[in-house]
Amino acid sequence: QAQLVESGGGLVQPGGSLRLSCAASGFDFENYPMSWYRQSPGKERELVAGISKGGGWTTYNDAVKGRFTISRENDKNSMYLEMTNLNGDDTAVYYCNAGSKITVLSGGFKFTERHESEYWGQGTQVTVSS
């Protein structure tokens, strides 16, 4: 049984930082591209960041580029999202995803990865407020 469990969310002041973790089990983690998504009230779920199977390629939503860093440790079946300089627009439930398509664009280069199976965590709340 595949399972993804997020942790690390909470209340933080504007300008603060948080580190989210995603613990995976029940599937071959190293064969899946991984992603963080988020959803805030009244908005559609959006991709925050994605990372390739081996961790060598990353992609970011323009709204978080330069502030968030996605990483993974395949030997620990874990993925992380380091968030800095948080603002109110970052308030959302953050979801860990395995298998959804990620796309990396750099100049004329395009790289995509996906898996035929997709898994989702239950989400962790991040609230940015003073």
Side-chain angles (χ1 to χ4, degrees):
Q1 60 283 9
Q3 187 174 20
L4 299 171
V5 180
E6 302 94 337
S7 62
L11 176 64
V12 64
Q13 293 185 335
S17 301
L18 281 176
R19 190 182 198 228
L20 305 183
S21 297
C22 172
S25 61
F27 66 99
D28 50 334
F29 179 80
E30 68 276 8
N31 289 326
Y32 286 71
M34 298 292 296
S35 302
W36 288 99
Y37 286 78
R38 69 184 181 187
Q39 187 168 25
S40 57
K43 297 181 62 178
E44 292 186 345
R45 184 183 61 187
E46 65 177 0
L47 176 68
V48 178
I51 187 166
S52 61
K53 293 180 290 184
W57 297 98
T58 59
T59 183
Y60 296 92
N61 186 313
D62 285 342
V64 308
K65 189 174 297 183
R67 299 188 297 119
F68 291 11
T69 302
I70 188 172
S71 62
R72 67 190 293 167
E73 294 180 287
N74 284 349
D75 59 349
K76 297 181 179 180
N77 287 353
S78 297
M79 179 182 63
Y80 311 96
L81 185 68
E82 188 73 39
M83 305 182 293
T84 65
N85 196 24
L86 288 161
N87 60 64
D89 292 334
D90 298 316
T91 295
V93 177
Y94 284 71
Y95 296 93
C96 178
N97 168 275
S100 291
K101 184 174 71 175
I102 64 166
T103 301
V104 177
L105 297 174
S106 180
F109 172 78
K110 183 179 180 181
F111 172 74
T112 64
E113 280 188 354
R114 65 174 296 276
H115 197 279
E116 58 266 30
S117 300
E118 293 185 11
Y119 306 115
W120 293 89
Q122 292 295 303
T124 186
Q125 176 72 49
V126 172
T127 302
V128 184
S129 177
S130 59

